[in-house]
Amino acid sequence: MSNETKEPSTPQTTTATAWLELPGGAKFSVQSACSIGRSSSNQVALKDEKISRCHALINARMENEYWLSDLGSSNGTYLNGGRLAQAVRIYDQDQIRIGHQILIFRQPTAGMRERTEPTMATMTLCDNKATPCWLLLGVFESPSQAGGSVTLADMPRLTEQWYDNSKAIIEEHGGILNKYLGNGYMAYWTDRDHTARSVAAAARRLKELQGQTPLRFRLVLHYGRVSINESARLGEGTLSGAEVSLAFRLEKLAVIFKVTCLASDSVQSRLKEFLPLDELGRTTAHGFDHDRLFYRF
């Protein structure tokens, strides 16, 4: 099969304040949201075997501010040479690579990225401190995973609403939404007096949200010691450590257990007074030092 990439068949003449440019000069307007992928239902449809049907999304988070996220694609989305690990703000002249295709994001009114401003490829940790934390992952399913319950055209609106509603719930209960992932988010609470009660309340509200939106998503709760840099306390930067890696593995276990709300045994021992938890079983996963029990909430 050829690796040749064909340009989209419907390039636009645009007067928008933000747009994508292809090397051949084709321009595609970016309004409140712009989906990119192999399917013809995307705003930017790219014919390339390395590109997923629903590959990436650019959406406006605030006035005059656009963010790029990967929608769980097989081969990843690259910004200025680095593979995206989470949603990140994009600036005028940023280079986006999807499959074999290079797209240039243009937003002249907002200016270019400052040289000192890190992308996900250049972020490094500083001032790390190991702190007991509650970790929460929220991960949504792509249209292909959802089995037709959500269309590609619905995704920009539904994901934006979901991010906003989740952030409001988490912050209302004292948590910090630390990072946007390509297909979700990570939030955390540092463990203090009464934090367990707040985490349980947030988990109940987010579980209710699962029944209020057609967007299908999973929730994962874990507890452990995490390295936090100072910028992460401001909602930026990076959380790191073995427990963060375990939290991401738990999300994969949720798929195996076929549950939408999964908690680790370290959560169960601390939240059982505040949140109903049903035992799912014991299993071993890569990175765990022994068999562990897992729970549905």
Side-chain angles (χ1 to χ4, degrees), residues 34-37 42 52-58 68-74 76-77 84 140-145 152 155-156 159 163 181-184 215:
C34 178
S35 60
I36 307 168
N42 289 283
S52 299
R53 287 178 55 81
C54 311
H55 197 108
L57 179 71
I58 297 173
L68 172 69
S69 57
D70 183 89
L71 294 176
S73 68
S74 299
T77 300
L84 287 189
F140 65 79
E141 295 183 352
S142 68
S144 58
Q145 294 171 320
L152 184 60
M155 287 298 288
T159 55
Y163 278 125
L181 310 172
N183 59 339
L215 186 71

Side-chain angles (χ1 to χ4, degrees), residues 255-285:
V255 177
I256 295 172
F257 279 120
K258 298 181 179 179
V259 296
T260 57
C261 299
L262 182 75
S264 65
D265 51 1
S266 60
V267 167
Q268 189 272 342
S269 62
R270 294 169 174 84
L271 277 195
K272 57 186 177 183
E273 296 180 36
F274 311 113
L275 186 68
L277 293 157
D278 300 322
E279 184 176 318
L280 289 170
R282 185 182 294 274
T283 190
T284 302

